[in-house]
Amino acid sequence: MNEKNFEYLRNQVKYTGFGEGLDNELKEKMQQQTSNFTLNHEVLYGVDHAKATLSFKKSDQSEMYFFNSYKVDLQKDNSKESLEQTFYINKGSNITMKEAYNLMEGRAVNKELTNKEGQLYNSWVQMDFKETDSNGNFKLNQYHQNYGYDFEASLSKLPIKELETPKYKEDLMDSLKKGNLQSATFLKDGKEVKQFIEVNPQFKTINVYDTNMKRIDNREAKVEKQSEGEKASVKQSNKKQGSSADNEEPDIPKEVKKRVKKQSNSI
């Protein structure tokens, strides 16, 4: 067995999200020198059960093994049928096990990908459950820079408390890029309300849910933030008016018209 090959594969397995629990079995399988082998990994995400089968193949020219792919079998608690998808291992940034689960849940993941020329590019990836490829895998749609989705600008339109602190904002954005359904503190009528958000690059927006996971119209959330801004403007205006002479009638501020951008539905 090639020790450097083992170390490389062990790290590859670890950083693809399978931890270190497979190290001993990986070494044993490599020592057997078979042409190919698999390793199994199981994990619970809440009440959803996911089983991954990792596939390794030996080179025809040497004793080197390669980690080629892993297949995920996802059994959701509320479904009788399981969902299957194979994720391939590349030289670039691999889709981790947790990201694979998020993709199979329908959410989008932000990745650094490699094109045919070997150049890196950034893109949002999202599973298309209506289309499969020749191997029976669901198609992975990509929404890269040319698509025109500005994730940070879309997020900044929402009245989220965490966005006011650079560190919390960075953590929130990193979690959303991994495809997580993330809790966030919304400011509504001077109160803090816990809600959940996920990225929707296809429609260039952020999906918002209440604590019962009921979808909230994004326009409501945006209007709420605009309303907060208007209150601040009126308060500042009142302060300036208060410094005027008592016999002067203060100007009545003009009503601020609320404009809500319509959500784009084109790809």
Side-chain angles (χ1 to χ4, degrees), residues 15-26:
Y15 294 113
T16 309
F18 299 103
E20 300 175 347
L22 297 174
D23 289 1
N24 292 334
E25 190 177 359
L26 173 63

Side-chain angles (χ1 to χ4, degrees), residues 156-196:
S156 67
K157 294 175 183 177
L158 301 175
I160 297 175
K161 181 180 180 181
E162 286 81 4
L163 298 179
E164 299 172 358
T165 306
K167 180 62 171 65
Y168 293 159
K169 178 181 178 180
E170 181 181 357
D171 291 343
L172 179 64
M173 291 179 67
D174 286 344
S175 179
L176 289 170
K177 285 180 178 180
K178 293 175 182 176
N180 293 324
L181 178 67
Q182 181 64 45
S183 64
T185 308
F186 279 66
L187 302 174
K188 288 193 170 186
D189 298 323
K191 298 180 181 180
E192 295 184 0
V193 180
K194 182 180 178 181
Q195 293 181 159
F196 294 87

Side-chain angles (χ1 to χ4, degrees), residues 6-178:
F6 168 68
E7 290 294 333
Y8 178 80
L9 291 178
R10 182 173 70 172
N11 287 329
Q12 201 173 28
V13 168
K14 176 182 177 180
Y15 294 113
T16 309
F18 299 103
E20 300 175 347
L22 297 174
D23 289 1
N24 292 334
E25 190 177 359
L26 173 63
K27 178 176 284 189
E28 291 174 4
K29 291 289 182 72
M30 290 180 68
Q31 288 173 339
Q32 292 173 9
Q33 293 293 297
T34 55
S35 59
N36 55 70
F37 64 86
T38 60
L39 299 176
N40 295 319
H41 175 83
E42 297 186 31
V43 61
L44 281 174
Y45 295 110
V47 293
D48 297 336
H49 179 256
K51 178 183 178 181
T53 303
L54 291 65
S55 297
F56 299 81
K57 184 176 176 58
K58 186 181 179 183
S59 169
D60 294 331
Q61 287 78 36
S62 68
E63 62 175 4
M64 300 278 285
Y65 281 94
F66 297 93
F67 178 20
N68 292 329
S69 64
Y70 65 94
K71 183 178 74 173
V72 177
D73 186 311
L74 177 63
Q75 181 65 57
K76 294 184 65 61
D77 183 60
N78 58 357
S79 176
K80 293 182 180 180
E81 296 183 0
S82 63
L83 191 66
E84 290 185 355
Q85 180 81 1
T86 297
F87 298 89
Y88 295 95
I89 304 300
N90 303 304
K91 292 182 180 179
S93 181
N94 295 322
I95 291 175
T96 67
M97 179 63 187
K98 179 62 186 301
E99 290 171 343
Y101 168 73
N102 286 335
L103 286 170
M104 295 174 79
E105 280 285 275
R107 293 188 288 272
V109 171
N110 187 268
K111 301 295 291 183
E112 293 290 331
L113 303 174
T114 307
N115 62 18
K116 294 179 180 179
E117 290 73 34
Q119 299 173 321
L120 284 175
Y121 67 97
N122 183 272
S123 179
W124 287 94
V125 179
Q126 193 165 24
M127 199 168 285
D128 184 349
F129 295 102
K130 296 180 180 180
E131 187 175 347
T132 56
D133 61 20
S134 58
N135 295 318
N137 279 321
F138 293 109
K139 181 184 176 183
L140 294 179
N141 290 332
Q142 293 187 17
Y143 305 96
H144 46 70
Q145 185 176 355
N146 294 338
Y147 184 69
Y149 175 53
D150 191 329
F151 164 53
E152 186 170 0
S154 180
L155 186 64
S156 67
K157 294 175 183 177
L158 301 175
I160 297 175
K161 181 180 180 181
E162 286 81 4
L163 298 179
E164 299 172 358
T165 306
K167 180 62 171 65
Y168 293 159
K169 178 181 178 180
E170 181 181 357
D171 291 343
L172 179 64
M173 291 179 67
D174 286 344
S175 179
L176 289 170
K177 285 180 178 180
K178 293 175 182 176

